[in-house]
Amino acid sequence: MQELHDTALAPLTTFRLGGPADRLITATTDDEVIAAVREADDSGTPLLLIGGGSNLVIGDKGFAGTALRIATRGFDLDGTKLELAAGEVWTDAVARTVEARLAGIECLAGIPGSAGATPIQNVGAYGQEVSSTITEVVAYDRESRETVTMSNAECAFSYRHSRFKSDPERFVVLRVRFELEDAAGLSAPLRYAETARMLGVDPGDRVPVDAARETVLKLRSGKGMVLDPEDHDTWSAGSFFTNPILTREEFAAFHARVAERLGDGVVPPAYPADDEHTKTSAAWLIDKSGFTKGYGTGPARISTKHTLALTNRGGATTEDLLALAREVVAGVHDAFGITLVNEPVTVGVSL
C-alpha cells in the first residue's frame, strides 16, 4: 500500500483539476482498502474515495484528509457470470466481455472510470445501464464494519442513482458481479435509435456484439467522450448534467415555455420515464438556451463536440469550471424554468 503526503489530486481526475490531499493512499487489494477505510474512520479523518477520477470535481484547495485511490485488480469470467474488482478499468473490462462474445455491457464501451464506480452512478449510455446486468455488489459497510453482499434490488437502482449514491458515506464498493448473455455473438437488443441507425438496423434488433461496441466508440469519439490526452474536449467528466425528469405538470409548463421562446412548431425532446414522468434532454436545453458547442472565452468552456460536456482547455481552475456550470444552470432556468443537476460528485465545492 503506497502512501504519499501533500500530493496533487488533479492528475487522478479526467478534468485534471483540484488541489492536493493531505494524504494519498493507493490500495491494490480489498484488504488494503478496508484497512485504510477503518483507519480513517477510527481516527475521524475525512476520507475521499478515488477510482478512475472520471466523475469528480475537486476544489482548488484540495482535500483536508485521506484520499484513498482504489487500484484493485480482478477480472473473473465464468460462463456468463462476471466479477470485477472495483479498481478494474471499465473500458478494458467491456472490451474483454466483447472478445468473449457476451452481450449486456457492449454499449457502455468507452466510458472512462473504474468498475467500482458503475453501480454508484448506475452508469448508462446508448440504451444500456449497468443495473440491467448487475446481480450483486460486494461492499464494505462502514456502519456495521463488515463486508456485505447486496442484491440488485438492495442496490435501489434508478436513473443515474443508487443506494450507494444516496448514502455516500456508508458503503465502499469492493467488487461488482454481472450476469451477461450468450446470444451466439450477438449484442443485446439495441435500444438507442442513433446506434441502430448507424448500424443500418431497427431499434430492438441485434447485431454482432463487436460491431455494437465499435459503433458506440465511434459515436462517443465524435462527441469527445473517449479519453484522449491530446484532445481537450475529453478533459471533462463526460455529461456534466443529468437529463431532467419532469412530472406531467412540470412538462406541460416546460412545453409552454418552449412555445413561448422558440415558437409553437418546436417540439422538445420527450422520453417516457414512467407512467407519471417524462425525461427531456439536458443537451437540448443547454443548446436552446444559447450555450452552443465551444461556448466560453476562458480556460473552461463547453466542449466543441457536445454541449453536455464542460471542459478544461488547459490551465483552468475548478472555480473557472464552476463559474461556467453556474452560468449554464442559471441560463437554462431563466429560459425554460428547469434547474439542471450536476452529474459529477463535487468535493469541497458546490454549484
Side-chain angles (χ1 to χ4, degrees):
M1 189 159 57
Q2 183 188 63
E3 180 175 333
L4 300 171
H5 294 267
D6 194 25
T7 300
L9 296 178
L12 301 181
T13 74
T14 53
F15 264 125
R16 296 167 170 80
L17 296 176
D22 290 348
R23 181 185 185 212
L24 172 65
I25 292 175
T26 298
T28 58
T29 69
D30 290 353
D31 287 344
E32 288 181 354
V33 171
I34 293 170
V37 173
R38 284 179 173 168
E39 180 191 34
D41 290 346
D42 289 344
S43 62
T45 303
L47 181 67
L48 171 64
L49 303 176
I50 300 178
S54 60
N55 205 42
L56 281 179
V57 178
I58 299 173
D60 294 317
K61 292 182 179 179
F63 184 71
T66 296
L68 172 59
R69 179 171 171 257
I70 299 176
T72 53
R73 291 291 181 265
F75 180 100
D76 183 11
L77 185 61
D78 182 8
T80 57
K81 299 182 185 300
L82 172 67
E83 180 178 287
L84 297 177
E88 276 292 322
V89 177
W90 177 252
T91 53
D92 294 346
V94 172
R96 292 178 69 176
T97 66
V98 169
E99 289 173 5
R101 293 164 53 83
L102 295 175
I105 56 175
E106 64 279 0
C107 291
L108 303 178
I111 295 176
S114 62
T118 60
I120 297 171
Q121 190 77 2
N122 186 17
V123 163
Y126 296 97
Q128 287 183 345
E129 289 182 329
V130 291
S131 58
S132 65
T133 51
I134 288 177
T135 56
E136 294 177 330
V137 174
V138 180
Y140 175 69
D141 185 342
R142 297 170 70 181
E143 185 175 290
S144 66
R145 297 177 63 87
E146 63 182 1
T147 300
V148 296
T149 299
M150 303 169 68
S151 68
N152 183 290
E154 289 172 321
C155 294
F157 291 120
S158 59
Y159 173 66
R160 300 297 176 271
H161 204 72
S162 69
R163 183 178 179 185
F164 309 107
K165 191 171 182 179
S166 64
D167 196 359
E169 300 300 318
R170 180 168 178 181
F171 298 102
V172 180
V173 175
L174 300 174
R175 297 189 170 266
V176 188
R177 294 170 180 156
F178 303 81
E179 179 66 49
L180 304 178
E181 180 186 7
D182 185 350
L186 296 180
S187 68
L190 298 175
R191 305 198 182 283
Y192 197 74
E194 188 179 14
T195 312
R197 185 167 58 251
M198 280 195 68
L199 286 159
V201 299
D202 295 323
D205 288 349
R206 295 176 184 262
V207 297
V209 68
D210 57 341
R213 173 179 176 269
E214 289 303 319
T215 299
V216 165
L217 288 174
K218 288 178 183 177
L219 286 169
R220 291 186 65 86
S221 293
K223 299 173 182 178
M225 298 289 189
V226 176
L227 291 181
D228 178 353
E230 302 302 317
D231 182 0
H232 282 279
D233 279 331
T234 73
W235 290 32
S236 75
S239 299
F240 195 87
F241 300 104
T242 58
N243 290 320
I245 297 178
L246 310 175
T247 64
R248 290 178 180 177
E249 293 76 14
E250 289 170 339
F251 189 80
F254 165 51
H255 200 282
R257 294 284 287 267
V258 171
E260 178 184 337
R261 182 180 177 89
L262 303 175
D264 292 333
V266 177
V267 179
Y271 313 96
D274 56 40
D275 291 341
E276 300 295 327
H277 296 84
T278 299
K279 181 166 64 176
T280 192
S281 166
W284 187 91
L285 289 166
I286 293 167
D287 181 73
K288 298 304 181 185
S289 299
F291 303 101
T292 54
K293 295 174 184 176
Y295 178 87
T297 58
R301 304 178 199 175
I302 290 177
S303 166
T304 65
K305 300 182 179 71
H306 200 291
T307 54
L308 201 48
L310 307 187
T311 67
N312 173 9
R313 310 313 295 184
T317 65
T318 301
E319 275 307 310
D320 292 329
L321 177 77
L322 293 176
L324 175 61
R326 292 173 187 133
E327 183 182 1
V328 171
V329 169
V332 169
H333 187 269
D334 182 63
F336 297 110
I338 293 175
T339 301
L340 295 178
V341 176
N342 53 291
E343 187 168 326
V345 174
T346 55
V347 179
V349 292
S350 64
L351 291 190

